[in-house]
Amino acid sequence: MNDTVSTAALDEWMRTFARLVAENKEALTDLDAAIGDGDHGENMDRGMRAAVQALDDTRPSTASALFNKVGMTLISTVGGASGPLFGTLFLRIGAALGDTSEVSLSQLATALHAGLDGIVARGKAEAGDKTIYDALAPAVQALETAATDGAHTADALRAALAAAENGRDATTPMLARKGRASYLGERSVGHQDPGATSIALLIAAATPAPA
Ligand code: ADP
Ligand code: MG
């Protein structure tokens, strides 16, 4: 396996995520209006817009500096649950990657796992709680399996995207047990989780089109 990911590609990942969030802002807000307070699209868009601005201003040259900037910006600009949770995800990814400018697939998988652990440490979500965990955990698992199998990064990311989208779709029948949606109890059933939807966009932003 010799296909590594450069800092420039990681920077592009964050910019593409910001673009996908902007394009899906209304859809994310509609999902949150059904089982939350209708601000998820607004929250993610405000945060990622500010993150791109911060990247433009500082041009980080290492993976740790890049994700540190994105994570800190999300935490400082987004008041909702998603700001600290996505912020923690990126801070942990940055800390795990360190001062490297070329990232291997196994490093990427390990870093995303560290990010997932950070989200759990912060929000205590478990599988089936109808949160961002339910899309991110299967994506991390798929990346780790692909890395162990010696897959190419592009194929690994396609597998991770399929896993994230399946995980996102699987949140629809779940009863929310964390966050604002949990206040609805049974009425949360039958709605796709907004945060899990944003995670699928995050993985989509990293994934090349089918070969
Ligand atoms: P808020 O709920 O504060 O309005 P957002 O609407 O931006 O924040 O984000 C809601 C999303 O946050 C939910 O769809 C869910 O995926 C995620 N979320 C909420 N609480 C948790 C938690 N404890 N762990 C993981 N994800 C969570
Ligand atoms: Mg909300």
Side-chain angles (χ1 to χ4, degrees):
M1 226 236 36
N2 56 5
D3 47 349
T4 56
V5 182
S6 65
T7 306
L10 295 171
D11 180 272
E12 197 50 43
W13 176 25
M14 292 298 97
R15 289 168 190 275
T16 304
F17 179 45
R19 181 171 56 74
L20 292 182
V21 165
E23 287 170 7
N24 289 276
K25 179 175 154 182
E26 279 187 27
L28 293 171
T29 286
D30 289 349
L31 291 172
D32 195 37
I35 56 170
D37 56 354
D39 64 356
H40 185 64
E42 186 61 47
N43 284 343
M44 293 301 299
D45 187 50
R46 178 172 2 100
M48 287 310 298
R49 259 176 218 281
V52 167
Q53 185 64 54
L55 294 181
D56 283 341
D57 291 346
T58 57
R59 298 271 158 200
S61 59
T62 64
S64 66
L66 174 85
F67 289 110
N68 204 55
K69 184 55 77 181
V70 173
M72 291 306 289
T73 305
L74 287 177
I75 290 170
S76 63
T77 56
V78 180
S82 55
L85 290 167
F86 276 82
T88 299
L89 169 65
F90 292 125
L91 289 181
R92 292 287 185 103
I93 289 174
L97 292 177
D99 282 338
T100 180
S101 54
E102 289 291 335
V103 174
S104 70
L105 173 57
S106 62
Q107 282 176 304
L108 189 64
T110 301
L112 279 165
H113 200 140
L116 177 67
D117 289 345
I119 284 173
V120 171
R122 187 136 201 159
K124 310 278 179 274
E126 295 174 19
D129 282 352
K130 197 181 184 96
T131 71
I132 57 183
Y133 180 98
D134 293 303
L136 186 57
V140 168
Q141 173 79 62
L143 272 189
E144 287 178 329
T145 301
T148 306
D149 292 349
H152 286 290
T153 301
D155 293 329
L157 287 167
R158 288 186 199 109
L161 177 58
E165 290 180 341
N166 285 336
R168 171 202 66 197
D169 294 346
T171 63
T172 300
M174 289 174 186
L175 189 148
R177 283 193 292 260
K178 291 287 180 314
R180 239 175 244 287
S182 66
Y183 308 156
L184 290 182
E186 291 287 343
R187 282 188 291 134
S188 66
V189 173
H191 300 280
Q192 184 175 306
D193 181 61
T197 307
S198 287
I199 289 289
L201 295 177
L202 174 66
I203 308 298
T207 306

